[in-house]
Amino acid sequence: MPVKRGCGEWRLVSSRQKRLNARTQTSFPPDRIMNDTKGPRLAVIGCGYWGANHVRTLGEMGALHAVADVNLERAETLAQPFGAKAVAPDAVFADADVDAVVLALPAHLHAEFALRAIADGKHVFVEKPLSLSSTDGANVVEEAATVGRILMTGHILRYHNAFVTLAERIAAGELGDIRYVQSHRLGFGKFHARFDALWDLAPHDLSLILTLARGEPERVRGERRGVSIGTTDLAHVHLDFAGGLGAHVHVSRHSPYRERRFTVIGSKGMAVWDDLADWPRKLALFRHTIDPNGTNWDFSLSEPEYADLTPNMALTDELAHFIACIESGETPLTDGRQGVAVLRVLEQAGA
């Protein structure tokens, strides 16, 4: 199936996103028979924390065909409730009944397994990061395009309704011209000897920032610090885009408190997405005025206006979008190109 190419930028909320939400809410009733052959049949490779989430979500959607892991007993435990089969990873690539694979593996294996899946004619969803180098990621993108297969990167927060609504408000001009974006993603753990906080945590927010900026930054500056185990435990990433937009990402796995805030500052207002808040208070909008008055400035800030959000399961919407793109041939909102763009920022920030 040929892939319809997008316009070379990562769009804000569009009618396609609205169709995605409608599809997610109506297409997968709880009593749907597992392994329904009317739609694409998917296999999940990797049964760790995120792999298990993918298995459960696809199973509930009726799209799960197989579950694969080097620990076959673990794969069987996850597959059994949904009537899917448990197999070794190599068996997935040779299975003609598998239309697409979801890769939830250690990140250093993503590019290798994605290329194997593409070579065997399968569409591919890769959990973030797409790979551990932009060169390897670009190679995966090129191979998928060459054979006409969908390649999607698992930047899940792009499908969270708080961000969907935020992007709609921005597109409608409610914040005016966007001047600055700042994101804080802090907590304690998880510690990995070969996978630092920058690469583990920052891809989420970089994906959102690149989406709002509609492209890649002109300049990236990174500051990193190891605290406990010799690799980066906290980092700051500064981004400058054409047109004057700036952004800052702060990530830490060595913070005594959790913080998940994404702030957008515009010429007419500001918005704060606090992902740890309850749904009624997740997205706050603040109107402000700043006017010169001689040598002083008059300024005012409104009380927060909380957006009326429809709670959603971002992973369900994300996977529904992947399936919809397989069926239509359209380019995913978080395609492989954005995955590579995120890798380029991470490389520059870590240089």
Side-chain angles (χ1 to χ4, degrees), residues 253-272:
R253 64 184 180 188
H254 217 291
S255 170
Y257 60 88
R258 296 181 68 220
E259 185 176 359
R260 301 286 187 272
R261 281 194 175 93
F262 188 84
T263 302
V264 180
I265 301 172
S267 59
K268 298 195 306 184
M270 298 177 285
V272 180

Side-chain angles (χ1 to χ4, degrees), residues 61-245:
M61 293 165 64
L64 183 67
H65 179 76
V67 180
D69 195 87
V70 291
N71 183 339
L72 192 57
E73 183 178 351
R74 168 71 171 164
E76 290 173 344
T77 299
L78 293 175
Q80 190 275 331
F82 305 105
K85 59 183 179 180
V87 297
D90 285 344
V92 171
F93 302 110
D95 190 343
D97 290 333
V98 173
D99 301 303
V101 298
V102 172
L103 300 179
L105 298 161
H108 67 281
L109 297 175
H110 280 167
E112 174 191 346
F113 275 66
L115 289 172
R116 289 185 64 186
I118 291 166
D120 284 318
K122 305 183 191 312
H123 306 284
V124 181
F125 176 107
V126 186
E127 263 302 339
K128 62 85 184 167
L130 176 61
S131 71
L132 290 184
S133 83
S134 60
T135 300
D136 289 344
N139 188 29
V140 176
V141 171
E142 181 179 358
E143 289 300 316
T146 298
V147 299
R149 289 297 175 267
I150 296 294
L151 174 64
M152 180 166 161
T153 309
H155 294 150
I156 187 172
L157 294 183
R158 176 63 183 81
Y159 303 90
H160 193 296
N161 270 355
F163 182 78
V164 171
T165 301
L166 171 61
E168 286 178 334
R169 297 293 186 94
I170 291 172
E174 292 190 34
L175 301 184
D177 297 327
I178 303 305
R179 304 282 174 76
Y180 201 77
V181 181
Q182 59 188 29
S183 178
H184 290 182
R185 186 168 297 277
L186 315 176
F188 190 73
K190 300 178 178 179
F191 292 92
H192 309 272
R194 62 186 303 170
F195 201 50
D196 67 22
L198 177 65
W199 282 76
D200 188 27
L201 300 175
H204 292 295
D205 305 290
L206 292 174
S207 170
L208 304 182
I209 292 169
L210 296 183
T211 297
L212 295 181
R214 297 176 178 263
E216 298 186 43
E218 294 184 325
R219 184 171 64 157
V220 177
R221 292 165 291 132
E223 305 168 29
R224 298 174 295 146
R225 174 74 64 174
V227 177
S228 295
I229 64 172
T231 61
T232 298
D233 291 314
L234 58 90
H236 295 269
V237 182
H238 303 273
L239 306 96
D240 297 301
F241 295 86
L245 174 65

